Amino acid sequence: MDNIVINGGRKLNGEVKISGAKNAVLPVMAAALLTNGTCVIKNVPCLDDVSVMVSVLQELSVRVSWHNDILRLDCSQVSPVAPSPEILGRIRASNLILGPLLGRFKEAEIGACGGCSIGSRPMDLHFAALEALGAKILPLEAGYFAFVKSLRGAEIHLAFPSVGATENLLMAAALAEGTTVLHNAAAEPEIADLAAFINAMGGRISGAGSNIITIEGVKKLNGAEFTVMPDRIETGTLLLAGAMCGGRLYLKGARFEHNTALLDAMRQAGINFTYNKPGDSAYIEVQSAGGRPWPLPQIVTASYPGFPTDMQPQLTAMLCLAQGRSSVCERIFENRLTFVNELKKMGAAIQAHDNCAIIDGVARLHGAVVRAPDLRAGAALALAGLAAQGCTVIEQAEYIDRGYEDFVEKLCSLGADISRQSKFNTVVCGKPAAAFRLVV
Ligand code: EPZ
């Protein structure tokens, strides 16, 4: 169990580069299974979830080499064996091998996937969409077996715009016979990135990034080279760090058009920021005196382009310092407010009721020993610690490494007093993480 230790109250200043997006690179890695060629994926973040996905692919006999931010996936020897439940159970995104294995091999045996304990996270929408293409899904003692004689395109309506179900459907339909039209599809930018990768492989997908996506099935997909989009949640997390601590942060590569709901909330809270004109090189810069933000009376998480659930904990942490009462309602996951009790330990005046956090802002938070219940809540507690007076120790900090590349190092470079204590050693400000990983 790792701890992150923060001595809060320092301003943050400087420039950091936004890493590749976790929630884009994971489906792109799965989509490589659609070809027997070799794919080269660039701007790959060095994250624990990416390492787990590499292990999943290796169990399917993908030959992987990973050097710095470039992943090379040779999929010529892939076979649809069932990866070990221990590995599949470590991340939610392991469920994304279902669509490509069905598309390429017409069968897939998969154990239960994992993921942050933020809700029940069933797979019914994935199964309904794949069954509409003709697949049969049989429950096994632990997991399920999917098979089909031949996938046929169909008109499909998702009951809810599930990101993962949209991604699995896109990958399976890419090799189906005929055309598929997916209605009420998820419109997150990561979906558009996945579609762009599949099109680079020779696929024919249009409308990705909207709620109606058309997929014309093709007979074969080829290896391709692709650069993953920047991480919009890392962007939002660092923007709020700057807003809460005061200072000036320049986020190189940040895409304002991926963060409009958050930027609108920041504007309403009185936080100043600028960003590039369309066509210029991408950045967002936040400049804050570190004063208290205005309260936000009705934040409700929603599917894209609504306010992102993955930014809900971080915004809630910022609103603990607001000049009045705010309300943040979580409407995507049923168990994503457990970190409220941890914020209370730091002096926050916050109550959770009916999946809404009611927050009466206070002038100051104080350091405390807190425990990260999941990835984004861990990041939210770190933001609170950065802004608090005194020392904060975040237990179970390894959750944060699942979704943020060089989290401690980047904040150190901006002036934070933050360090990591693991069972092996203590990384103090500034020591770089591993420069490369070679996996053969
Ligand atoms: C993706 O998860 C992201 N993960 C999540 O990010 C993100 O919070 C979520 O989309 C919503 O934006 C990855 O991309 C790896 P969903 P996913 O299917 O695909 C219900 C992070 O912190 N649902 O859109 O699992 C589900 O229970 C992570 O980076 C069903 O009911 O999300 C949830 O309530 C956390 N049946 C809602 O839909 C299904 O078959 C949204 O889930 C599928 C989903």
Side-chain angles (χ1 to χ4, degrees):
M1 292 291 180
D2 286 9
N3 293 343
I4 283 183
V5 180
I6 299 170
N7 290 304
R10 296 166 69 127
K11 286 190 184 291
L12 301 179
N13 287 288
E15 174 179 320
V16 289
K17 178 182 173 299
I18 295 299
S19 300
K22 166 179 87 83
N23 291 347
V25 72
L26 293 173
V28 164
M29 290 169 73
L33 294 166
L34 286 164
T35 178
N36 63 2
T38 295
C39 296
V40 177
I41 306 169
K42 299 179 177 177
N43 200 30
V44 174
C46 182
L47 300 173
D48 288 359
D49 275 20
V50 174
S51 300
V52 174
M53 196 63 160
V54 163
S55 303
V56 171
L57 296 181
Q58 287 177 317
E59 295 223 335
L60 294 165
S61 304
V62 176
R63 285 193 286 219
V64 182
S65 67
W66 182 1
H67 187 74
N68 288 331
D69 69 344
I70 299 177
L71 259 182
R72 185 183 164 78
L73 306 176
D74 171 354
C75 298
S76 57
Q77 308 300 317
V78 171
S79 64
V81 299
S84 75
E86 186 279 326
I87 290 183
L88 290 176
R90 288 172 59 192
I91 59 174
R92 169 75 177 178
S94 57
N95 67 7
L96 296 176
I97 64 176
L98 175 59
L101 292 180
L102 257 185
R104 185 171 163 198
F105 297 101
K106 311 295 183 274
E107 65 171 80
E109 180 181 340
I110 298 176
C113 59
C116 285
S117 55
I118 53 180
S120 57
R121 310 188 81 177
M123 289 284 289
D124 55 317
L125 297 173
H126 297 243
F127 297 160
L130 295 171
E131 284 165 347
L133 295 181
K136 296 278 181 288
I137 317 271
L138 301 179
L140 302 174
E141 200 176 312
Y144 41 86
F145 179 67
F147 65 97
V148 66
K149 190 166 179 306
S150 67
L151 289 169
R152 293 187 182 289
E155 289 266 353
I156 301 172
H157 181 94
L158 281 181
F160 176 85
S162 154
V163 171
T166 300
E167 290 165 341
N168 259 327
L169 192 280
L170 249 62
M171 292 187 277
L175 289 176
E177 290 172 29
T179 298
T180 297
V181 181
L182 179 60
H183 299 270
N184 201 27
E188 274 70 2
E190 292 79 11
I191 306 283
D193 230 36
L194 173 62
F197 174 57
I198 295 172
N199 286 343
M201 298 167 81
R204 292 203 196 115
I205 300 175
S206 56
S210 77
N211 292 120
I212 301 179
I213 304 176
T214 302
I215 308 109
E216 287 178 57
V218 294
K219 288 207 178 310
K220 188 175 183 305
L221 291 167
N222 308 305
E225 205 170 285
F226 186 74
T227 299
V228 167
M229 62 178 263
D231 195 312
R232 61 190 171 100
I233 307 302
E234 182 191 29
T235 297
T237 304
L238 290 173
L239 286 172
L240 294 189
M244 293 171 72
C245 297
R248 188 175 189 150
L249 297 195
Y250 184 94
L251 305 182
K252 189 175 177 189
R255 303 270 295 272
F256 74 88
E257 66 275 22
H258 290 168
N259 289 281
T260 51
L262 173 71
L263 292 173
D264 187 56
M266 288 171 60
R267 189 179 292 114
Q268 291 179 49
I271 297 158
N272 296 322
F273 55 87
T274 57
Y275 50 80
N276 60 289
K277 295 183 184 54
D280 291 353
S281 52
Y283 78 88
I284 306 177
E285 182 174 54
V286 58
Q287 189 171 347
S288 160
R292 298 173 62 185
W294 294 115
L296 299 175
Q298 51 181 17
I299 293 289
V300 182
T301 63
S303 300
Y304 194 89
F307 190 87
T309 175
D310 291 350
M311 281 302 305
Q312 175 268 105
Q314 302 91 312
L315 186 77
T316 299
M318 184 189 82
L319 293 172
C320 289
L321 295 168
Q323 300 177 56
R325 171 167 286 195
S326 303
S327 160
V328 178
C329 293
E330 172 59 57
R331 294 291 179 250
I332 300 293
F333 289 105
E334 66 270 29
N335 188 34
R336 201 166 203 174
L337 286 173
T338 55
F339 66 99
V340 160
N341 293 327
E342 302 303 308
L343 287 173
K344 283 181 183 174
K345 294 176 187 172
M346 303 178 74
I350 182 171
Q351 295 299 332
H353 177 68
D354 188 24
N355 237 13
C356 291
I358 307 302
I359 313 145
D360 289 308
V362 296
R364 265 273 173 246
L365 295 173
H366 57 74
V369 178
V370 292
R371 174 162 295 192
D374 60 67
L375 160 56
R376 303 303 176 184
L381 293 171
L383 296 188
L386 289 166
Q389 286 294 10
C391 179
T392 298
V393 177
I394 301 171
E395 298 175 335
Q396 298 187 158
E398 57 276 13
Y399 272 118
I400 300 175
D401 298 329
R402 295 192 46 189
Y404 292 92
E405 182 179 52
D406 296 338
F407 185 76
V408 166
E409 292 74 15
K410 287 187 177 181
L411 287 168
C412 277
S413 74
L414 296 169
D417 180 347
I418 179 172
S419 56
R420 172 195 303 279
Q421 293 169 342
S422 75
K423 50 181 175 293
F424 303 113
N425 63 2
T426 293
V427 174
V428 186
C429 269
K431 287 214 174 39
F436 67 92
R437 293 172 189 237
L438 192 57
V439 183
V440 289

